[in-house]
Amino acid sequence: RKEVEQDPGPFNVPEGATVAFNCTYSNSASQSFFWYRQDCRKEPKLLMSVYSSGNEDGRFTAQLNRASQYISLLIRDSKLSDSATYLCVVRVLGTGGFKTIFGAGTRLFVKA
Amino acid sequence: DAGITQSPRYKITETGRQVTLMCHQTWSHSYMFWYRQDLGHGLRLIYYSAAADITDKGEVPDGYVVSRSKTENFPLTLESATRSQTSVYFCASSELPGTSGSLRGFQYFGPGTRLLVL
């Protein structure tokens, strides 16, 4: 089982739609959680951190469920420019220090 | 405000040749990382460094060598390139986890180096 698992998609949605991605992680010692966005042939960029209380940044809402070990990202009112791959990222504190684990990503296509 | 840069951005080489990919960051971040990204595998950690002169293996270190004599530079060397090392290579850096204002140590990525081994 992968340490961080995501549905690879692709998700094909029309402009204005609401879309949700889920991500599950296997290590209960995971401490920090992030969503990154990666455009085609570009580097990953931080989209938002994920806090236990849930957090919102404009049209984006991230949720963390520690009991079920999953993270979600909700995008409301999708724009064409939201088309990208979304990476779920988990940081774990182990005996060797922090380890950052990236999910393989979920591809989103927003169409006019 | 250069941030984190990588060079070259594109490289074509032949099997058996030695190749060095450069990574430079201007933030004085403690941690630096090298990843490769291939279709179907996502980002895989090759090596990382917690500080100058401290390096450690990641998930896929075989065939690669790193060094970190200065905090700002973290070169990655393919000692004898193989076709399986054709990939996109990303360098990243982060502050020490827990550092105030560090957003809990999230990583900043360079623009990547696209390497083709013939």
Side-chain angles (χ1 to χ4, degrees), chain B residues 8 10-14 17 19 114-118:
Chain B
Y10 303 89
K11 176 74 177 178
I12 300 174
T13 191
E14 295 177 338
R17 291 194 180 248
V19 177
R114 282 157 182 78
L115 176 68
L116 174 62
V117 182
L118 300 175

Side-chain angles (χ1 to χ4, degrees), chain A residues 2 31-34 36 38 40-46 49-51 66 87 91 96 98-100 102-104, chain B residues 9-10 31 33 35 37 40-43 45 48 90 97-98 103-112 114:
Chain A
K2 291 182 180 177
Q31 296 203 334
S32 304
F33 308 89
F34 309 94
Y36 276 68
Q38 185 173 24
C40 187
R41 302 179 68 79
K42 296 285 185 69
E43 73 272 25
K45 293 183 178 178
L46 179 71
S49 296
V50 186
Y51 302 110
R66 285 190 182 270
L87 308 176
R91 289 185 68 238
F98 279 98
K99 182 170 70 168
T100 302
F102 288 80
Chain B
R9 295 292 313 278
Y10 303 89
Y31 281 81
F33 309 83
Y35 293 91
Q37 188 173 40
H41 287 282
L43 284 161
L45 182 65
Y48 69 98
F90 288 105
L103 280 179
R104 296 180 291 162
F106 84 88
Q107 296 176 19
Y108 296 84
F109 283 82
R114 282 157 182 78

Side-chain angles (χ1 to χ4, degrees), chain A residues 7-66:
Chain A
D7 180 345
F11 286 63
N12 294 288
V13 302
E15 271 188 297
T18 295
V19 61
F21 308 137
N22 289 327
C23 164
T24 58
Y25 60 94
S26 60
N27 193 328
S28 58
S30 299
Q31 296 203 334
S32 304
F33 308 89
F34 309 94
W35 283 101
Y36 276 68
R37 170 197 169 121
Q38 185 173 24
D39 293 291
C40 187
R41 302 179 68 79
K42 296 285 185 69
E43 73 272 25
K45 293 183 178 178
L46 179 71
L47 180 65
M48 58 198 303
S49 296
V50 186
Y51 302 110
S52 297
S53 56
N55 49 300
E56 190 174 306
D57 183 2
R59 298 181 293 107
F60 299 84
T61 300
Q63 296 277 354
L64 167 63
N65 185 320
R66 285 190 182 270

Side-chain angles (χ1 to χ4, degrees), chain B residues 34-53:
Chain B
W34 273 107
Y35 293 91
R36 60 179 289 174
Q37 188 173 40
D38 306 286
L39 283 173
H41 287 282
L43 284 161
R44 290 185 290 175
L45 182 65
I46 304 171
Y47 269 96
Y48 69 98
S49 169
D53 297 321

